[in-house]
Amino acid sequence: MTVLHTLAHAKLNLTLDVVGKRPDGYHNLTMVMQEISLGDEITLTLGTKEPWKVISGSQEIPSDDSNLAVKAAKLFFSETGIDPDGLTVEIQKHTPVCAGMGGGSADGAGVLRLLYEHYGQPISREALFRIAENTGSDVPFALFGGTALAREKGQVLSRIPSMPDCDILICKPPFPVSTPALFRAIDSEVIERRPDTKAMLAALEQGSIEEVAKALYNVFEPVVAREHEEIHEIKSVMCCQGALAACMTGSGPTVFGIFTDHQAAEAAYQTLKTKYSDTYLVKPV
């Protein structure tokens, strides 16, 4: 048997704009995406000579093909024609589930990365990214990593300057958000404010965390916040305790704040952690 390990990093959306609906029913998006230090621990065991299985400590993680780690592995082995002779995927979950942070997508990308390197890069990188795209919308970025401009369904990726060093406070309130319902809501209304993607790209080019903070925006946030006042409350705590700015990521409900004062970030972390168990202090990667 062969055992492989990786850390599957979560992501945040520094900007998120919905720019139109596609003929295939999906939406075209423009997003500035950032990999962060929080992530799930993935262990693959190859050659178990047993039926495939998923091991995790969370009942929220599916063990069938809807698990993106399993889906990614199946697509990889189908594309390459390799037989692993049994596979076990173990996921130690640290990224909150259904948080708008791409945790499941990161797991899928982590599996692809491990298999691609272990088997000596048996296919082209273009083929690998096609597998990622077929696995899930955020999987290509999770495979790409770092800081990127993502367009179309999220699969068209461009490398951009890294986010400047800072502390990022993350807080996920305990309610779910339906992504399909959120897109339906967006489709039925006029988007009154959109992120200034050019300003965000310029801020990253300048290496100015203050300008990055000014350019944070997510078109989904007002829609979610209309139904859930906690979004505003969490942002208020972060900003009152020293965050340069705060914003919701992805389809929510997770909120993140950017800090340049580590002590202020720690204090805000302690304040929010008393109420919200899914609170984390992380760094950009």
Side-chain angles (χ1 to χ4, degrees), residues 34 79 116 245:
Q34 177 63 51
E79 175 74 18
Y116 186 68

Side-chain angles (χ1 to χ4, degrees), residues 78-93:
S78 175
E79 175 74 18
T80 60
I82 295 169
D83 180 2
D85 196 19
L87 175 70
T88 296
V89 181
E90 184 174 354
I91 302 173
Q92 287 187 274
K93 199 71 183 163

Side-chain angles (χ1 to χ4, degrees), residues 173 175-177 221 223-233 253:
F175 57 82
V177 175
E221 185 183 307
V223 182
V224 176
R226 280 203 300 266
E227 300 293 327
H228 301 282
E229 182 64 27
E230 278 180 285
I231 299 294
H232 293 309
E233 293 170 358

Side-chain angles (χ1 to χ4, degrees), residues 65-79:
D65 287 4
S66 64
N67 184 308
L68 296 186
V70 175
K71 185 177 180 181
K74 288 197 170 185
L75 289 172
F76 177 87
F77 288 121
S78 175
E79 175 74 18

Side-chain angles (χ1 to χ4, degrees), residues 157-177:
L157 297 159
S158 304
R159 178 68 63 208
I160 57 178
S162 300
M163 185 177 182
D165 184 48
C166 61
D167 287 301
I168 303 174
L169 180 57
I170 292 168
C171 180
K172 176 185 176 286
F175 57 82
V177 175

